Amino acid sequence: GVIGDASAIPGMIWDVETEFRARVLRLGFGYGTIDTVIPKFAINLDGPALHEARAAIEEAKAKKKLGGVFRGEGIPAAELNGFARLLWFHRARRTARQLKILGMLRQGMPQVKIAERLRQTPQAVYDHVKSAGWEAYREGEAGFAAALLAIGKGA
């Protein structure tokens, strides 16, 4: 796909990986220009961004890298790949219940509402949140999004 706001990538990775948790996914992200006109449906596009994305997917596959591989001219690929791998490592160690709760927190739902929806006590939800390392994950994901946003602004 083609996106204009790179800060959306951490959320996209979360959605794809939690939806397809039983599968090993190799994600590649390319940064650069698109040389063709972008129609309503992104078909038959060409340009450096697409070539970098293909190379990123191949690298992810060959080196068995999970969480996403970032490539492109002038981007801090080492930092982005580091963020991606650390967040993947964190997600991979969460239980299905923890991921469900963290997903609700990511959507802005308060812990009390999560407890009601899951028919658990607020203390049980709090314990899941604490043991899942929600605060560290949230800060890491926010830093990842900020780094991606800065690239999009040419910083």
Side-chain angles (χ1 to χ4, degrees):
V2 177
I3 62 169
D5 179 4
S7 67
I9 291 173
M12 292 167 51
I13 292 172
W14 171 278
D15 291 343
V16 168
E17 287 190 349
T18 55
E19 184 68 29
F20 299 101
R21 186 168 179 178
R23 298 193 182 272
V24 175
L25 300 175
R26 307 287 184 214
L27 305 173
F29 301 89
Y31 178 79
T33 58
I34 303 289
D35 294 338
T36 53
V37 175
I38 301 174
K40 182 176 180 180
F41 300 102
I43 302 171
N44 298 322
L45 298 178
D46 194 23
L50 293 153
H51 299 285
E52 292 289 357
R54 170 53 54 200
I57 292 168
E58 293 301 324
E59 180 181 338
K61 184 178 177 183
K63 296 182 178 177
K64 299 184 182 345
K65 291 184 175 181
L66 300 171
V69 171
F70 291 79
R71 292 179 50 107
E73 185 72 32
I75 66 165
E79 291 90 337
L80 297 177
N81 291 327
F83 265 123
R85 230 123 9 266
L86 281 170
L87 291 170
W88 171 83
F89 183 84
H90 190 92
R91 283 188 305 274
R93 278 142 185 81
R94 299 302 129 237
T95 65
R97 180 60 115 193
Q98 287 172 332
L99 286 173
K100 183 174 187 84
I101 291 169
L102 296 185
M104 293 173 164
L105 288 170
R106 287 183 80 260
Q107 294 172 357
M109 190 178 291
Q111 289 185 36
V112 173
K113 293 285 185 199
I114 294 170
E116 289 172 10
R117 180 167 292 171
L118 298 178
R119 296 183 178 161
Q120 289 189 320
T121 66
Q123 183 62 46
V125 170
Y126 173 82
D127 291 344
H128 280 300
V129 169
K130 192 81 166 160
S131 66
W134 165 243
E135 289 300 321
Y137 186 84
R138 184 183 57 78
E139 288 178 27
E141 194 174 73
F144 189 24
L148 288 159
L149 183 62
I151 292 165
K153 290 182 177 178

